[in-house]
PDB file of all heavy atoms in Angstrom:
ATOM      1  N   PHE A  25     -38.145 -30.779  31.749  1.00  0.00           N
ATOM      2  CA  PHE A  25     -37.540 -31.250  30.527  1.00  0.00           C
ATOM      3  C   PHE A  25     -37.676 -32.778  30.424  1.00  0.00           C
ATOM      4  O   PHE A  25     -37.701 -33.481  31.420  1.00  0.00           O
ATOM      5  CB  PHE A  25     -36.068 -30.883  30.462  1.00  0.00           C
ATOM      6  CG  PHE A  25     -35.817 -29.418  30.508  1.00  0.00           C
ATOM      7  CD1 PHE A  25     -35.750 -28.734  31.717  1.00  0.00           C
ATOM      8  CD2 PHE A  25     -35.662 -28.688  29.340  1.00  0.00           C
ATOM      9  CE1 PHE A  25     -35.543 -27.356  31.751  1.00  0.00           C
ATOM     10  CE2 PHE A  25     -35.458 -27.293  29.391  1.00  0.00           C
ATOM     11  CZ  PHE A  25     -35.397 -26.656  30.585  1.00  0.00           C
ATOM     12  N   ASP A  26     -37.759 -33.254  29.196  1.00  0.00           N
ATOM     13  CA  ASP A  26     -37.891 -34.696  28.940  1.00  0.00           C
ATOM     14  C   ASP A  26     -36.552 -35.381  29.323  1.00  0.00           C
ATOM     15  O   ASP A  26     -35.508 -35.138  28.711  1.00  0.00           O
ATOM     16  CB  ASP A  26     -38.159 -34.912  27.426  1.00  0.00           C
ATOM     17  CG  ASP A  26     -38.379 -36.368  27.095  1.00  0.00           C
ATOM     18  OD1 ASP A  26     -38.129 -37.253  27.965  1.00  0.00           O
ATOM     19  OD2 ASP A  26     -38.787 -36.662  25.959  1.00  0.00           O
ATOM     20  N   GLY A  27     -36.601 -36.209  30.383  1.00  0.00           N
ATOM     21  CA  GLY A  27     -35.403 -36.869  30.863  1.00  0.00           C
ATOM     22  C   GLY A  27     -34.746 -37.751  29.803  1.00  0.00           C
ATOM     23  O   GLY A  27     -33.521 -37.912  29.826  1.00  0.00           O
ATOM     24  N   ASN A  28     -35.540 -38.311  28.897  1.00  0.00           N
ATOM     25  CA  ASN A  28     -34.999 -39.130  27.853  1.00  0.00           C
ATOM     26  C   ASN A  28     -34.223 -38.365  26.791  1.00  0.00           C
ATOM     27  O   ASN A  28     -33.510 -38.980  25.967  1.00  0.00           O
ATOM     28  CB  ASN A  28     -36.118 -39.932  27.160  1.00  0.00           C
ATOM     29  CG  ASN A  28     -36.778 -40.908  28.110  1.00  0.00           C
ATOM     30  OD1 ASN A  28     -36.124 -41.598  28.875  1.00  0.00           O
ATOM     31  ND2 ASN A  28     -38.109 -40.940  28.111  1.00  0.00           N
ATOM     32  N   ALA A  29     -34.346 -37.060  26.782  1.00  0.00           N
ATOM     33  CA  ALA A  29     -33.711 -36.242  25.755  1.00  0.00           C
ATOM     34  C   ALA A  29     -32.586 -35.380  26.326  1.00  0.00           C
ATOM     35  O   ALA A  29     -31.931 -34.635  25.597  1.00  0.00           O
ATOM     36  CB  ALA A  29     -34.728 -35.346  25.058  1.00  0.00           C
ATOM     37  N   ILE A  30     -32.341 -35.484  27.636  1.00  0.00           N
ATOM     38  CA  ILE A  30     -31.347 -34.612  28.279  1.00  0.00           C
ATOM     39  C   ILE A  30     -29.961 -34.812  27.696  1.00  0.00           C
ATOM     40  O   ILE A  30     -29.147 -33.900  27.618  1.00  0.00           O
ATOM     41  CB  ILE A  30     -31.321 -34.881  29.822  1.00  0.00           C
ATOM     42  CG1 ILE A  30     -32.599 -34.309  30.446  1.00  0.00           C
ATOM     43  CG2 ILE A  30     -30.093 -34.234  30.474  1.00  0.00           C
ATOM     44  CD1 ILE A  30     -32.753 -32.811  30.341  1.00  0.00           C
ATOM     45  N   TYR A  31     -29.683 -36.040  27.237  1.00  0.00           N
ATOM     46  CA  TYR A  31     -28.325 -36.299  26.650  1.00  0.00           C
ATOM     47  C   TYR A  31     -28.038 -35.375  25.441  1.00  0.00           C
ATOM     48  O   TYR A  31     -26.877 -35.178  25.076  1.00  0.00           O
ATOM     49  CB  TYR A  31     -28.234 -37.784  26.229  1.00  0.00           C
ATOM     50  CG  TYR A  31     -28.985 -38.129  24.973  1.00  0.00           C
ATOM     51  CD1 TYR A  31     -28.386 -38.143  23.721  1.00  0.00           C
ATOM     52  CD2 TYR A  31     -30.340 -38.477  25.044  1.00  0.00           C
ATOM     53  CE1 TYR A  31     -29.085 -38.452  22.586  1.00  0.00           C
ATOM     54  CE2 TYR A  31     -31.057 -38.789  23.916  1.00  0.00           C
ATOM     55  CZ  TYR A  31     -30.430 -38.766  22.670  1.00  0.00           C
ATOM     56  OH  TYR A  31     -31.159 -39.103  21.534  1.00  0.00           O
ATOM     57  N   ARG A  32     -29.074 -34.843  24.865  1.00  0.00           N
ATOM     58  CA  ARG A  32     -28.897 -33.955  23.688  1.00  0.00           C
ATOM     59  C   ARG A  32     -28.626 -32.507  24.098  1.00  0.00           C
ATOM     60  O   ARG A  32     -28.329 -31.668  23.258  1.00  0.00           O
ATOM     61  CB  ARG A  32     -30.148 -33.978  22.801  1.00  0.00           C
ATOM     62  CG  ARG A  32     -30.515 -35.347  22.325  1.00  0.00           C
ATOM     63  CD  ARG A  32     -31.389 -35.334  21.089  1.00  0.00           C
ATOM     64  NE  ARG A  32     -32.676 -34.670  21.270  1.00  0.00           N
ATOM     65  CZ  ARG A  32     -33.674 -34.783  20.399  1.00  0.00           C
ATOM     66  NH1 ARG A  32     -33.514 -35.507  19.313  1.00  0.00           N
ATOM     67  NH2 ARG A  32     -34.829 -34.176  20.636  1.00  0.00           N
ATOM     68  N   HIS A  33     -28.721 -32.225  25.413  1.00  0.00           N
ATOM     69  CA  HIS A  33     -28.636 -30.840  25.861  1.00  0.00           C
ATOM     70  C   HIS A  33     -27.699 -30.760  27.097  1.00  0.00           C
ATOM     71  O   HIS A  33     -28.173 -30.762  28.246  1.00  0.00           O
ATOM     72  CB  HIS A  33     -30.010 -30.307  26.236  1.00  0.00           C
ATOM     73  CG  HIS A  33     -31.025 -30.451  25.155  1.00  0.00           C
ATOM     74  ND1 HIS A  33     -31.078 -29.637  24.064  1.00  0.00           N
ATOM     75  CD2 HIS A  33     -32.016 -31.342  25.014  1.00  0.00           C
ATOM     76  CE1 HIS A  33     -32.083 -30.017  23.301  1.00  0.00           C
ATOM     77  NE2 HIS A  33     -32.664 -31.064  23.818  1.00  0.00           N
ATOM     78  N   THR A  34     -26.416 -30.683  26.843  1.00  0.00           N
ATOM     79  CA  THR A  34     -25.459 -30.602  27.965  1.00  0.00           C
ATOM     80  C   THR A  34     -25.669 -29.325  28.765  1.00  0.00           C
ATOM     81  O   THR A  34     -25.420 -29.329  29.966  1.00  0.00           O
ATOM     82  CB  THR A  34     -24.010 -30.644  27.435  1.00  0.00           C
ATOM     83  OG1 THR A  34     -23.838 -29.638  26.399  1.00  0.00           O
ATOM     84  CG2 THR A  34     -23.701 -32.005  26.809  1.00  0.00           C
ATOM     85  N   ASP A  35     -26.117 -28.255  28.097  1.00  0.00           N
ATOM     86  CA  ASP A  35     -26.338 -27.000  28.815  1.00  0.00           C
ATOM     87  C   ASP A  35     -27.481 -27.141  29.834  1.00  0.00           C
ATOM     88  O   ASP A  35     -27.419 -26.557  30.922  1.00  0.00           O
ATOM     89  CB  ASP A  35     -26.652 -25.855  27.866  1.00  0.00           C
ATOM     90  CG  ASP A  35     -27.860 -26.155  26.946  1.00  0.00           C
ATOM     91  OD1 ASP A  35     -28.125 -27.330  26.698  1.00  0.00           O
ATOM     92  OD2 ASP A  35     -28.529 -25.188  26.535  1.00  0.00           O
ATOM     93  N   ILE A  36     -28.464 -27.928  29.511  1.00  0.00           N
ATOM     94  CA  ILE A  36     -29.585 -28.165  30.435  1.00  0.00           C
ATOM     95  C   ILE A  36     -29.196 -29.164  31.553  1.00  0.00           C
ATOM     96  O   ILE A  36     -29.492 -28.960  32.719  1.00  0.00           O
ATOM     97  CB  ILE A  36     -30.850 -28.660  29.693  1.00  0.00           C
ATOM     98  CG1 ILE A  36     -31.298 -27.664  28.633  1.00  0.00           C
ATOM     99  CG2 ILE A  36     -31.976 -28.954  30.686  1.00  0.00           C
ATOM    100  CD1 ILE A  36     -31.663 -26.304  29.155  1.00  0.00           C
ATOM    101  N   SER A  37     -28.482 -30.225  31.171  1.00  0.00           N
ATOM    102  CA  SER A  37     -28.102 -31.249  32.179  1.00  0.00           C
ATOM    103  C   SER A  37     -27.186 -30.629  33.230  1.00  0.00           C
ATOM    104  O   SER A  37     -27.215 -31.071  34.387  1.00  0.00           O
ATOM    105  CB  SER A  37     -27.396 -32.405  31.486  1.00  0.00           C
ATOM    106  OG  SER A  37     -26.191 -31.999  30.885  1.00  0.00           O
ATOM    107  N   GLU A  38     -26.442 -29.610  32.886  1.00  0.00           N
ATOM    108  CA  GLU A  38     -25.573 -28.941  33.850  1.00  0.00           C
ATOM    109  C   GLU A  38     -26.361 -28.159  34.894  1.00  0.00           C
ATOM    110  O   GLU A  38     -25.819 -27.795  35.946  1.00  0.00           O
ATOM    111  CB  GLU A  38     -24.589 -28.017  33.130  1.00  0.00           C
ATOM    112  CG  GLU A  38     -23.500 -28.744  32.349  1.00  0.00           C
ATOM    113  CD  GLU A  38     -22.721 -27.852  31.446  1.00  0.00           C
ATOM    114  OE1 GLU A  38     -23.030 -26.614  31.399  1.00  0.00           O
ATOM    115  OE2 GLU A  38     -21.776 -28.342  30.797  1.00  0.00           O
ATOM    116  N   LEU A  39     -27.631 -27.892  34.628  1.00  0.00           N
ATOM    117  CA  LEU A  39     -28.462 -27.143  35.554  1.00  0.00           C
ATOM    118  C   LEU A  39     -29.097 -28.042  36.630  1.00  0.00           C
ATOM    119  O   LEU A  39     -29.733 -27.558  37.555  1.00  0.00           O
ATOM    120  CB  LEU A  39     -29.597 -26.433  34.771  1.00  0.00           C
ATOM    121  CG  LEU A  39     -29.174 -25.449  33.679  1.00  0.00           C
ATOM    122  CD1 LEU A  39     -30.377 -24.873  33.014  1.00  0.00           C
ATOM    123  CD2 LEU A  39     -28.270 -24.358  34.242  1.00  0.00           C
ATOM    124  N   ARG A  40     -28.905 -29.328  36.528  1.00  0.00           N
ATOM    125  CA  ARG A  40     -29.510 -30.281  37.454  1.00  0.00           C
ATOM    126  C   ARG A  40     -29.026 -30.039  38.873  1.00  0.00           C
ATOM    127  O   ARG A  40     -27.828 -29.943  39.127  1.00  0.00           O
ATOM    128  CB  ARG A  40     -29.214 -31.689  37.013  1.00  0.00           C
ATOM    129  CG  ARG A  40     -29.884 -32.769  37.857  1.00  0.00           C
ATOM    130  CD  ARG A  40     -29.567 -34.161  37.319  1.00  0.00           C
ATOM    131  NE  ARG A  40     -30.331 -35.200  38.013  1.00  0.00           N
ATOM    132  CZ  ARG A  40     -30.229 -36.501  37.743  1.00  0.00           C
ATOM    133  NH1 ARG A  40     -29.396 -36.898  36.785  1.00  0.00           N
ATOM    134  NH2 ARG A  40     -30.947 -37.359  38.399  1.00  0.00           N
ATOM    135  N   ASP A  41     -29.952 -29.911  39.786  1.00  0.00           N
ATOM    136  CA  ASP A  41     -29.638 -29.725  41.220  1.00  0.00           C
ATOM    137  C   ASP A  41     -29.981 -31.035  41.926  1.00  0.00           C
ATOM    138  O   ASP A  41     -31.155 -31.266  42.261  1.00  0.00           O
ATOM    139  CB  ASP A  41     -30.401 -28.570  41.817  1.00  0.00           C
ATOM    140  CG  ASP A  41     -30.062 -28.289  43.258  1.00  0.00           C
ATOM    141  OD1 ASP A  41     -29.227 -29.029  43.816  1.00  0.00           O
ATOM    142  OD2 ASP A  41     -30.660 -27.368  43.872  1.00  0.00           O
ATOM    143  N   THR A  42     -28.993 -31.863  42.217  1.00  0.00           N
ATOM    144  CA  THR A  42     -29.258 -33.189  42.802  1.00  0.00           C
ATOM    145  C   THR A  42     -29.723 -33.074  44.248  1.00  0.00           C
ATOM    146  O   THR A  42     -30.289 -34.018  44.781  1.00  0.00           O
ATOM    147  CB  THR A  42     -28.006 -34.060  42.709  1.00  0.00           C
ATOM    148  OG1 THR A  42     -26.879 -33.371  43.304  1.00  0.00           O
ATOM    149  CG2 THR A  42     -27.649 -34.383  41.253  1.00  0.00           C
ATOM    150  N   THR A  43     -29.451 -31.936  44.905  1.00  0.00           N
ATOM    151  CA  THR A  43     -29.897 -31.791  46.305  1.00  0.00           C
ATOM    152  C   THR A  43     -31.422 -31.683  46.400  1.00  0.00           C
ATOM    153  O   THR A  43     -31.995 -31.858  47.468  1.00  0.00           O
ATOM    154  CB  THR A  43     -29.286 -30.525  46.940  1.00  0.00           C
ATOM    155  OG1 THR A  43     -29.744 -29.353  46.266  1.00  0.00           O
ATOM    156  CG2 THR A  43     -27.776 -30.571  46.869  1.00  0.00           C
ATOM    157  N   GLU A  44     -32.075 -31.406  45.272  1.00  0.00           N
ATOM    158  CA  GLU A  44     -33.541 -31.315  45.242  1.00  0.00           C
ATOM    159  C   GLU A  44     -34.205 -32.651  44.957  1.00  0.00           C
ATOM    160  O   GLU A  44     -35.433 -32.742  44.979  1.00  0.00           O
ATOM    161  CB  GLU A  44     -33.985 -30.292  44.178  1.00  0.00           C
ATOM    162  CG  GLU A  44     -33.659 -28.841  44.528  1.00  0.00           C
ATOM    163  CD  GLU A  44     -34.546 -28.308  45.614  1.00  0.00           C
ATOM    164  OE1 GLU A  44     -35.736 -28.633  45.641  1.00  0.00           O
ATOM    165  OE2 GLU A  44     -34.042 -27.516  46.451  1.00  0.00           O
ATOM    166  N   GLU A  45     -33.416 -33.660  44.671  1.00  0.00           N
ATOM    167  CA  GLU A  45     -33.988 -34.956  44.291  1.00  0.00           C
ATOM    168  C   GLU A  45     -33.913 -35.952  45.447  1.00  0.00           C
ATOM    169  O   GLU A  45     -33.063 -35.825  46.331  1.00  0.00           O
ATOM    170  CB  GLU A  45     -33.210 -35.503  43.070  1.00  0.00           C
ATOM    171  CG  GLU A  45     -33.335 -34.628  41.867  1.00  0.00           C
ATOM    172  CD  GLU A  45     -32.525 -35.172  40.684  1.00  0.00           C
ATOM    173  OE1 GLU A  45     -32.443 -36.385  40.558  1.00  0.00           O
ATOM    174  OE2 GLU A  45     -31.986 -34.365  39.891  1.00  0.00           O
ATOM    175  N   ASP A  46     -34.777 -36.914  45.452  1.00  0.00           N
ATOM    176  CA  ASP A  46     -34.770 -38.011  46.426  1.00  0.00           C
ATOM    177  C   ASP A  46     -33.450 -38.757  46.268  1.00  0.00           C
ATOM    178  O   ASP A  46     -33.181 -39.232  45.139  1.00  0.00           O
ATOM    179  CB  ASP A  46     -35.983 -38.916  46.225  1.00  0.00           C
ATOM    180  CG  ASP A  46     -36.080 -39.969  47.296  1.00  0.00           C
ATOM    181  OD1 ASP A  46     -35.173 -40.809  47.398  1.00  0.00           O
ATOM    182  OD2 ASP A  46     -37.076 -39.977  48.021  1.00  0.00           O
ATOM    183  N   PRO A  47     -32.657 -38.935  47.332  1.00  0.00           N
ATOM    184  CA  PRO A  47     -31.370 -39.622  47.165  1.00  0.00           C
ATOM    185  C   PRO A  47     -31.510 -41.038  46.605  1.00  0.00           C
ATOM    186  O   PRO A  47     -30.657 -41.490  45.834  1.00  0.00           O
ATOM    187  CB  PRO A  47     -30.856 -39.697  48.641  1.00  0.00           C
ATOM    188  CG  PRO A  47     -31.556 -38.593  49.359  1.00  0.00           C
ATOM    189  CD  PRO A  47     -32.875 -38.474  48.692  1.00  0.00           C
ATOM    190  N   LYS A  48     -32.629 -41.743  46.944  1.00  0.00           N
ATOM    191  CA  LYS A  48     -32.811 -43.069  46.418  1.00  0.00           C
ATOM    192  C   LYS A  48     -33.118 -43.034  44.915  1.00  0.00           C
ATOM    193  O   LYS A  48     -32.597 -43.871  44.162  1.00  0.00           O
ATOM    194  CB  LYS A  48     -33.975 -43.759  47.186  1.00  0.00           C
ATOM    195  CG  LYS A  48     -33.687 -43.956  48.675  1.00  0.00           C
ATOM    196  CD  LYS A  48     -34.807 -44.736  49.373  1.00  0.00           C
ATOM    197  CE  LYS A  48     -36.102 -43.973  49.453  1.00  0.00           C
ATOM    198  NZ  LYS A  48     -36.030 -42.710  50.205  1.00  0.00           N
ATOM    199  N   GLU A  49     -33.920 -42.076  44.497  1.00  0.00           N
ATOM    200  CA  GLU A  49     -34.222 -41.938  43.056  1.00  0.00           C
ATOM    201  C   GLU A  49     -32.975 -41.562  42.256  1.00  0.00           C
ATOM    202  O   GLU A  49     -32.745 -41.971  41.136  1.00  0.00           O
ATOM    203  CB  GLU A  49     -35.333 -40.913  42.846  1.00  0.00           C
ATOM    204  CG  GLU A  49     -36.698 -41.380  43.404  1.00  0.00           C
ATOM    205  CD  GLU A  49     -37.785 -40.362  43.175  1.00  0.00           C
ATOM    206  OE1 GLU A  49     -37.603 -39.466  42.367  1.00  0.00           O
ATOM    207  OE2 GLU A  49     -38.866 -40.503  43.813  1.00  0.00           O
ATOM    208  N   LEU A  50     -32.146 -40.707  42.895  1.00  0.00           N
ATOM    209  CA  LEU A  50     -30.895 -40.295  42.273  1.00  0.00           C
ATOM    210  C   LEU A  50     -29.949 -41.495  42.100  1.00  0.00           C
ATOM    211  O   LEU A  50     -29.332 -41.672  41.047  1.00  0.00           O
ATOM    212  CB  LEU A  50     -30.222 -39.216  43.127  1.00  0.00           C
ATOM    213  CG  LEU A  50     -28.944 -38.587  42.562  1.00  0.00           C
ATOM    214  CD1 LEU A  50     -29.208 -37.896  41.253  1.00  0.00           C
ATOM    215  CD2 LEU A  50     -28.359 -37.625  43.596  1.00  0.00           C
ATOM    216  N   GLU A  51     -29.847 -42.305  43.111  1.00  0.00           N
ATOM    217  CA  GLU A  51     -28.996 -43.502  43.050  1.00  0.00           C
ATOM    218  C   GLU A  51     -29.519 -44.475  42.004  1.00  0.00           C
ATOM    219  O   GLU A  51     -28.748 -45.057  41.244  1.00  0.00           O
ATOM    220  CB  GLU A  51     -28.961 -44.185  44.424  1.00  0.00           C
ATOM    221  CG  GLU A  51     -27.969 -45.313  44.547  1.00  0.00           C
ATOM    222  CD  GLU A  51     -26.504 -44.870  44.491  1.00  0.00           C
ATOM    223  OE1 GLU A  51     -26.240 -43.689  44.678  1.00  0.00           O
ATOM    224  OE2 GLU A  51     -25.676 -45.744  44.195  1.00  0.00           O
TER     225      GLU A  51
END
């Protein structure tokens, strides 16, 4: 999904799994 448009889709943003992301990129 387009990260710049996630704010328009709360249902999609809730699916984000931060454990799959690089901790530095997440920070």
Side-chain angles (χ1 to χ4, degrees):
F25 300 85
D26 183 351
N28 295 316
I30 289 297
Y31 74 94
R32 303 201 298 194
H33 307 284
T34 53
D35 56 333
I36 301 299
S37 64
E38 289 170 357
L39 302 179
R40 185 177 185 180
D41 182 1
T42 54
T43 64
E44 289 288 323
E45 299 178 34
D46 186 296
K48 297 185 291 299
E49 292 181 14
L50 184 62
E51 188 67 19

